[in-house]
Amino acid sequence: MTQQLIVGLIVAAAAFYAVWRWMPAGWRRGAAQKLAAGTHRAGLIDEERAKELAASLAKTSGCGSCDSCGSCAPKAPLKQPEAEQVASSPSMHGR
């Protein structure tokens, strides 16, 4: 019985982590604020630590969050240097 309870807690923790990790960034920031405020109201941590907790929980953990890396931002087209433009243009030398 105890073994099943421990396995259930591990599975629940893994599911919570997966949901938190792939949650949209806006939702994660809101949930982090609510969780930190709840722990402060319950008297588990002081106000300073609650702010640190909210900031820590709201951070992204790399790719998949789309709010910090900027890889989805539109990129400006690269311009060719003038030397390459002249070299690649058709010339009048071959009549």
Side-chain angles (χ1 to χ4, degrees), residues 36 45-54 56:
I45 56 177
D46 62 353
E47 186 176 352
E48 178 74 23
R49 183 68 180 128
K51 288 179 184 179
E52 291 174 8
L53 177 64
S56 175

Side-chain angles (χ1 to χ4, degrees), residues 66-77:
C66 291
D67 68 340
S68 65
C69 71
S71 66
C72 296
K75 295 181 173 98

